[in-house]
């Protein structure tokens, strides 16, 4: 019997999400939630003239097939497991890892962001 790497990887992703999933995510206007892992890491950047800047980029990790429709500027509603607090975010960038998981960088949705960026690329 041949080893099914893809099936084993999918099982591992399910175990990771069941163990570490800490937020229910509603994509756009959907009423169906997906499970994800929310992380709010603090980053520091050193300035060449001295000093540093601290900033936080909120991130989600989710199964790629669950977030296949998510793209830049998509609205997400997150309901946190422990507190049941609901917060709104807009997707800043999407980074599929090629192995079944996707990392999504978020920015807080204060209601003033435009769906279409004003900068022309």
């Amino acid at each position: 019997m041949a080893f099914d790497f893809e099936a084993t990887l999918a099982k591992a992703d399910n175990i990771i999400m069941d163990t570490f999933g800490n937020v229910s995510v509603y994509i756009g206007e959907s009423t169906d939630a997906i499970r994800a892992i929310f992380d709010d890491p603090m980053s520091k950047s050193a300035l060449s003239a001295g000093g540093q800047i601290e900033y936080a980029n909120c991130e989600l990790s989710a199964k790629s097939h669950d977030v296949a429709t998510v793209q830049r500027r998509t609205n997400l509603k997150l309901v946190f497991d422990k507190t049941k607090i609901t917060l709104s975010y807009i997707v800043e960038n999407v980074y599929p890892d090629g192995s079944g998981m996707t990392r999504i960088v978020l920015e807080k949705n204060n209601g003033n962001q435009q769906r279409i960026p004003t900068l022309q690329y």
Side-chain angles (χ1 to χ4, degrees):
M1 178 186 265
F3 177 71
D4 188 348
F5 181 75
E6 293 300 321
T8 302
L9 193 57
K11 285 180 186 178
D13 289 344
N14 289 336
I15 291 169
I16 290 168
M17 203 54 61
D18 290 344
T19 304
F20 299 107
N22 58 359
V23 66
S24 296
V25 179
Y26 297 87
I27 301 168
E29 299 300 318
S30 176
T31 57
D32 297 323
I34 60 140
R35 296 294 294 156
I37 301 166
F38 180 83
D39 191 21
D40 193 7
M42 184 60 70
S43 299
K44 291 183 181 181
S45 293
L47 302 174
S48 59
Q52 57 190 358
I53 296 174
E54 288 186 355
Y55 56 94
N57 278 338
C58 302
E59 297 179 356
L60 284 178
S61 294
K63 294 181 203 173
S64 295
H65 67 83
D66 287 343
V67 293
T69 61
V70 173
Q71 58 186 344
R72 221 169 164 270
R73 312 300 295 165
T74 299
N75 290 307
L76 302 178
K77 181 173 72 172
L78 280 58
V79 180
F80 293 86
D81 291 354
K82 287 186 179 181
T83 62
K84 301 302 180 203
I85 291 175
T86 301
L87 295 175
S88 294
Y89 289 89
I90 291 180
V91 174
E92 191 174 293
N93 276 309
V94 180
Y95 300 99
D97 71 1
S99 70
M101 295 293 286
T102 296
R103 183 173 60 92
I104 301 170
V105 179
L106 307 170
E107 67 178 84
K108 279 247 174 122
N109 183 352
N110 62 17
N112 294 328
Q113 289 96 336
Q114 297 181 15
R115 181 92 173 98
I116 300 170
T118 55
L119 294 175
Q120 298 299 316
Y121 297 100

